Amino acid sequence: MTDHDVAQDPDERRLSTREAADRLGVKPETVYAYVSRGQLTSRREPGGRGSTFDAREVDALARRGGRREPSGAGSELAVRTGITLIDRDHCYFRGVDTSELAAHHSYEEVAEWLWTGEMRRGIRFTAPHDALTAARRAVDALPAHTGPMDRLQVAVIAAAAADPLRFDLSERAVLDTARTLIPTLVAALPRRAAGRSLAQARAEEARAEEAGAGRAGDERAASGRAAGGLGEAEQAAPGQGAAGQGAPGQAAAELGTGGRGAAEPGAAEKPAPELGAEDGPLAPRLWSRLTSEPADPPSLRVLDAALVLLIDHDLAASTLAVRVAASARAHPYAIVSAGFGALDGALHGAASGLAHRMLLEVLDRGSAAAVVADHLRAGRRVPGLGHPLYPGEDPRARALFALLEDVPRARPALQAARDVITTTARHKEWHANVDLALAVLTVAAGMPAEAGETIFAVARTAGWIAHALEEYDEPPLRMRPSGQYSGPRPPQPLP
């Protein structure tokens, strides 16, 4: 938008370019970029030497999340968000301590609350047939050596292709997609079992799903008889269609009683779902994809708590990638793909795998001293220690270590982690971060080194959806920083 030469209203407060830049925390050049993109209007005063800006309009842009650009090295991009606050060695989701949320609620409950503001006890997320079939076929076509992150990236693309309504960015449609995408990603991963091929694992999954569908049909029939002959549509929960009638991408969230919180008053008791059942809680489903070891309740509590604690962590690299994609109005599957792409970097999602391998080495050598010394001698940071956002111990690690105390199989790995912390503290006061706690779980449960990254990716998907919902309410394409050209000045000869 261009400047306009008009007389100034004496009741209207105007800001100079420098004042507007200071209020927004950006460079003067960025203020003019806002004008060119239509986010601000400017005006030349009669006899003035520069443009002026409406103070109210500048303040409104700042409230919408105008960029903060401290000058000099280490400049940061800041985005206003109401999702996560990290403050004095504590992490909060919407003002609630994440450790308390993990202690009292399941992953699905916290995800639903983060998206909608409503805590629905016992909520379950289930995968729609079409999306799951497409995702599994795509995953099964990959080479046998393919890692879980590659499988997840392929699964989300296949699920998107199976959903023709994916471009609907209304809040309800995005929530429906979120509730079905997460279980689809988990169910697309093959179950792990010693001595079984992928084909055998898929055959067992199909038999389990057929049995589950039969049980669900019996329960619906019994429910219909008890309801005095009400039709399916009349018995459906508000905002939900009859069972099995949802369009592709619609929610398949169901209410059960398997969360850590108490069930809704009056809810009928149901038998505990079998481990990994596709209509049960998400943590057992994910467990069966990470290890062939049997799960005990304390171990599942740790996994579920890890999923909660890893939902979001402010604007990490993957979350920023998600918000940029959402700013361009990418659909939910695409924003999750953007997050996976950033998470696949060696400096983001792979950290827990390094800690996992280190703990295995400590257990193999019987001492942390030699292992820590090897890292320090090579100039490498000791995995699983230190976090730039926490001067002290990572609160997520603290919560998981407390839960791991109740897991008998975790004692050797837990002691190895403590040895690493104690040994390193003789040289530098580095505190444990969540990657070390996650590594204790993955080592103790016989999971592969990449399991921690898989847990991270599944958990963080809920946070990415929350950030996308927030970004969809902002002006589109606002995540468009201006480049600072450093190449040769034109004109240059034709090469």
Side-chain angles (χ1 to χ4, degrees), residues 131 134-135 138 150-163 166 181 185 331 333-334 336-338 340:
D150 289 335
R151 295 180 189 274
L152 288 175
Q153 292 185 72
V154 168
V156 72
I157 294 171
D163 183 3
R166 62 186 178 277
L181 176 57
L185 294 175
H331 55 73
Y333 301 94
V336 172
S337 290
F340 282 163

Side-chain angles (χ1 to χ4, degrees), residues 149 152 185 340 343 452-462 464:
M149 275 306 302
L152 288 175
L185 294 175
F340 282 163
L343 187 62
E453 186 176 12
T454 308
I455 296 168
F456 191 108
V458 171
R460 191 57 57 92
T461 300
W464 293 335

Side-chain angles (χ1 to χ4, degrees), residues 128-399:
H129 178 267
D130 288 350
L132 180 54
T133 300
R136 281 182 171 170
R137 284 176 177 168
V139 166
D140 292 353
L142 296 172
H145 64 267
T146 303
M149 275 306 302
D150 289 335
R151 295 180 189 274
L152 288 175
Q153 292 185 72
V154 168
V156 72
I157 294 171
D163 183 3
L165 304 181
R166 62 186 178 277
F167 296 101
D168 183 353
L169 300 186
S170 65
E171 182 178 357
R172 179 176 178 178
V174 173
L175 290 173
D176 285 347
T177 298
R179 296 183 186 113
T180 58
L181 176 57
I182 294 174
T184 297
L185 294 175
V186 172
L189 297 173
R191 293 174 187 258
R192 296 184 69 90
R196 282 191 313 179
S197 66
L198 176 60
Q200 290 171 324
R202 290 303 194 204
E204 183 174 313
E205 287 168 356
R207 288 193 296 271
E209 286 168 11
E210 288 174 3
R215 288 195 301 271
D218 292 342
E219 289 176 4
R220 284 195 296 270
S223 176
R225 289 192 296 271
L230 288 177
E232 283 186 335
E234 294 173 289
Q235 297 175 45
Q240 295 178 350
Q245 300 299 313
Q250 279 193 314
E254 300 177 353
L255 291 175
T257 58
R260 268 175 292 206
E264 294 289 353
E269 288 192 9
K270 296 180 181 179
E274 66 175 286
L275 179 63
E278 302 304 345
D279 56 351
L282 196 77
R285 284 184 258 174
L286 182 58
W287 179 280
S288 67
R289 268 73 185 185
L290 299 174
T291 180
S292 59
E293 294 292 323
D296 53 272
S299 296
L300 288 176
R301 280 196 294 272
V302 177
L303 178 56
D304 196 37
L307 289 169
V308 171
L309 294 166
L310 292 169
I311 284 177
D312 191 51
H313 205 232
D314 197 27
L315 284 183
S318 56
T319 305
L320 179 58
V322 161
R323 292 202 71 131
V324 171
S327 177
R329 297 304 183 257
H331 55 73
Y333 301 94
I335 69 107
V336 172
S337 290
F340 282 163
L343 187 62
D344 208 21
L347 299 181
H348 195 1
S352 62
L354 298 176
H356 177 106
R357 294 182 181 93
M358 177 188 67
L359 290 185
L360 286 179
E361 188 177 0
V362 171
L363 290 169
D364 182 58
R365 298 172 70 170
S367 170
V371 177
V372 170
D374 287 345
H375 279 83
L376 297 177
R377 187 180 300 115
R380 298 190 303 265
R381 193 181 185 97
V382 180
L385 298 182
H387 196 290
L389 298 182
Y390 300 111
E393 188 177 31
D394 185 333
R396 302 168 297 172
R398 186 166 55 243

Side-chain angles (χ1 to χ4, degrees), residues 36 38 56 81 94 98 105 107 111 166 204 246 266 298 347 368 434 440:
S36 68
R56 291 169 299 183
T81 174
R94 303 207 187 280
T98 55
H105 295 286
Y107 171 74
R166 62 186 178 277
E204 183 174 313
L347 299 181
V434 72
V440 172

Side-chain angles (χ1 to χ4, degrees), residues 77-92:
L77 170 68
V79 176
R80 294 177 187 271
T81 174
I83 299 172
T84 299
L85 171 67
I86 297 172
D87 183 45
R88 289 176 293 184
D89 290 340
H90 286 274
C91 183
Y92 304 90

